[in-house]
Amino acid sequence: TNMTILPFKEAREGRGGQALSLFLDWARSIGVTDLRATQVQEDSEGFWRKMGFVPLHDATNDFKCVALMAAAG
């Protein structure tokens, strides 16, 4: 499953980052400390890195959110 902004002409305007930031804030507020993006496509790796995720270097190209781990202490 991909995260997609519709209509496509509005892609790359920051809406995905805004949505994910809101989600990460909510996840922090309820104590989530382990959140992953699975099967990240190569062309979107930069987005996930920018949002505080790091690659796990596994067979399915999963990324883990280090920002939540840091917030947990």
Side-chain angles (χ1 to χ4, degrees):
T1 301
N2 294 322
M3 185 167 66
T4 304
I5 298 297
L6 296 173
F8 290 117
K9 67 180 181 166
E10 295 180 11
R12 304 213 179 265
E13 292 183 9
R15 288 179 178 82
Q18 290 171 341
L20 186 57
S21 289
L22 289 171
F23 178 77
L24 292 175
D25 289 345
W26 171 78
R28 277 185 206 94
S29 77
I30 63 166
V32 173
T33 59
D34 189 0
L35 184 71
R36 297 166 190 231
T38 59
Q39 299 180 350
V40 171
Q41 296 179 359
E42 190 174 327
D43 64 345
S44 65
E45 287 180 6
F47 168 81
W48 293 103
R49 289 175 194 272
K50 184 172 106 175
M51 297 305 299
F53 288 69
V54 295
L56 294 176
H57 303 290
D58 58 5
T60 56
N61 203 32
D62 297 345
F63 278 55
K64 183 172 184 166
C65 185
V66 294
L68 287 179
M69 294 168 29

